[in-house]
């Protein structure tokens, strides 16, 4: 179970803008793809800091279990995460644009990781900006490459590319937020699905409360995240990350 706990601890660092009134007024199945994408960009979830707490479920062919999580974010600079099992903190993770640190509380050890390791686990070539966007349901990290799928019968479907990974997005006809996403890198045998639902209105900013992440290749794993408490720009943000002297340094493979 320990390797799986680490797996979903890193995946969780996997799992909204203008007024709701204007968004509802614009909602229509007849709106063009260009207009839908423009609304999505305009209403991208905006924040300076963000606090998320919730319950999750992990499942693969071998096991299934639940856990609790906390995620604290400072825009463009920090993503902090704590994963607990049965009321005991198992992992604490600190991600910055240039580094990833993982504390294993149960085994009293720590490790430094790079984004290549995170990309290997998630099946997506992620950097800090992409990870931040995925957590908030935004698509800004592939904005310059997105194009409408003219052949699709599904409205508001778009394709994009980042590095060697191809992305496809379906936008909701109700609020023009991302409904689901697929990431695929055939050369690396990687394929991942991500879907969002139950959007919470935070003073006119929409954030998904439910995230379902399914890694299809190279190995099938599924992660469900349900936020039970969300705070946009909280007054305080407890993000302590101290490495105890008695912790052993290890390498992540």
């Amino acid at each position: 179970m320990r390797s799986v706990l680490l797996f979903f601890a890193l995946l969780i660092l996997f799992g909204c803008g203008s007024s709701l009134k204007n968004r509802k007024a614009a909602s229509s199945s007849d709106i063009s793809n260009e207009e839908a994408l423009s609304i999505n960009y305009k209403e991208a979830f905006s924040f300076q800091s963000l606090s998320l707490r919730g319950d999750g479920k992990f499942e693969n062919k071998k096991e299934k279990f639940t856990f609790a999580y906390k995620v604290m974010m400072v825009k463009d600079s920090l993503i902090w995460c704590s994963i607990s099992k049965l009321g005991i903190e198992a992992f604490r993770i600190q991600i910055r644009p240039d580094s990833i640190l993982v504390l294993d509380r149960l085994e009293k050890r720590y490790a430094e990781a790079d984004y290549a390791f995170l990309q290997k686990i998630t099946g997506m070539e992620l950097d800090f900006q992409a990870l931040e966007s995925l957590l908030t349901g935004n698509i800004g990290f592939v904005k310059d490459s997105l194009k409408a799928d003219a052949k699709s019968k599904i409205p508001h479907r778009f394709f994009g590319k980042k590095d060697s990974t191809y992305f496809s997005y379906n936008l909701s006809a109700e609020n023009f937020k991302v409904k689901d996403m697929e990431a695929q890198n055939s050369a690396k045998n990687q394929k991942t699905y991500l879907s969002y639902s139950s959007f919470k209105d935070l003073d006119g900013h929409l954030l998904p409360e439910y995230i379902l992440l399914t890694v299809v290749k190279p190995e099938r794993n599924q992660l469900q995240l349900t936020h039970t408490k969300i705070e946009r720009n909280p007054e305080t943000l407890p993000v302590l990350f101290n490495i105890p002297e008695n912790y052993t340094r290890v390498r992540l493979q």
Side-chain angles (χ1 to χ4, degrees):
M1 178 181 290
R2 300 207 41 72
S3 61
V4 175
L5 281 171
L6 178 57
F7 174 84
F8 74 69
L10 288 172
L11 282 184
I12 195 175
L13 298 169
F14 266 2
C16 324
S18 63
S19 73
L20 188 61
K21 179 179 179 181
N22 291 335
R23 184 184 301 111
K24 288 183 176 178
S27 297
S28 168
S29 59
D30 297 327
I31 196 170
S32 70
N33 285 330
E34 291 74 15
E35 290 174 302
L37 192 59
S38 177
I39 293 172
N40 177 279
Y41 289 157
K42 182 179 179 181
E43 301 191 355
F45 184 76
S46 175
F47 71 100
Q48 292 304 314
S49 60
L50 184 65
S51 173
L52 307 171
R53 296 172 185 261
D55 300 312
K57 180 181 178 181
F58 177 86
E59 181 177 0
N60 62 17
K61 293 182 179 180
K62 297 181 179 179
E63 54 190 326
K64 178 195 306 184
F65 51 84
T66 59
F67 57 93
Y69 61 85
K70 302 176 186 176
V71 177
M72 311 288 180
M73 300 172 62
V74 179
K75 185 174 176 58
D76 298 333
S77 64
L78 174 67
I79 300 173
W80 178 99
C81 178
S82 173
I83 302 293
S84 298
K85 178 68 175 168
L86 299 176
I88 300 175
E89 185 180 50
F91 291 96
R92 184 173 294 188
I93 302 171
Q94 176 180 279
I95 296 185
R96 293 190 179 277
D98 60 352
S99 64
I100 300 175
L101 288 174
V102 180
L103 279 184
D104 183 341
R105 293 294 199 184
L106 302 180
E107 295 294 335
K108 298 186 183 303
R109 57 187 184 179
Y110 74 97
E112 297 180 15
D114 56 21
Y115 282 88
F117 179 75
L118 189 60
Q119 293 164 11
K120 178 181 178 181
I121 290 176
T122 61
M124 291 181 275
E125 296 187 349
L126 300 176
D127 55 19
F128 189 90
Q129 180 191 12
L131 188 57
E132 188 176 71
S133 294
L134 290 174
L135 280 169
T136 53
N138 292 335
I139 56 179
F141 71 105
V142 289
K143 182 176 180 178
D144 294 337
S145 67
L146 278 183
K147 295 181 179 180
D149 182 1
K151 298 181 180 180
S152 175
K153 295 182 180 180
I154 302 174
H156 314 326
R157 179 174 174 82
F158 301 88
F159 287 105
K161 182 182 179 183
K162 180 175 175 60
D163 299 321
S164 59
T165 298
Y166 290 87
F167 293 86
S168 65
Y169 290 90
N170 292 317
L171 303 187
S172 167
E174 297 300 320
N175 57 22
F176 306 109
K177 302 300 296 180
V178 177
K179 184 167 59 175
D180 53 67
M181 180 211 78
E182 176 184 328
Q184 184 166 357
N185 190 323
S186 299
K188 296 184 178 181
N189 191 35
Q190 296 174 335
K191 191 173 186 178
T192 301
Y193 292 105
L194 185 65
S195 63
Y196 304 97
S197 62
S198 184
F199 285 82
K200 183 177 180 63
D201 183 7
L202 302 169
D203 299 323
H205 299 259
L206 291 182
L207 186 75
E209 293 181 289
Y210 177 81
I211 301 175
L212 177 62
L213 176 69
T214 303
V215 179
V216 179
K217 299 177 182 180
E219 295 182 3
R220 186 176 181 85
N221 294 279
Q222 190 172 78
L223 177 70
Q224 298 178 45
L225 302 177
T226 303
H227 303 330
T228 56
K229 185 177 181 180
I230 302 173
E231 293 182 87
R232 177 176 173 270
N233 300 332
E235 293 184 2
T236 60
L237 204 68
V239 288
L240 295 178
F241 197 94
N242 297 319
I243 301 175
E245 293 183 359
N246 63 332
Y247 273 42
T248 303
R249 180 176 179 177
V250 296
R251 295 189 64 180
L252 294 177
Q253 301 295 328

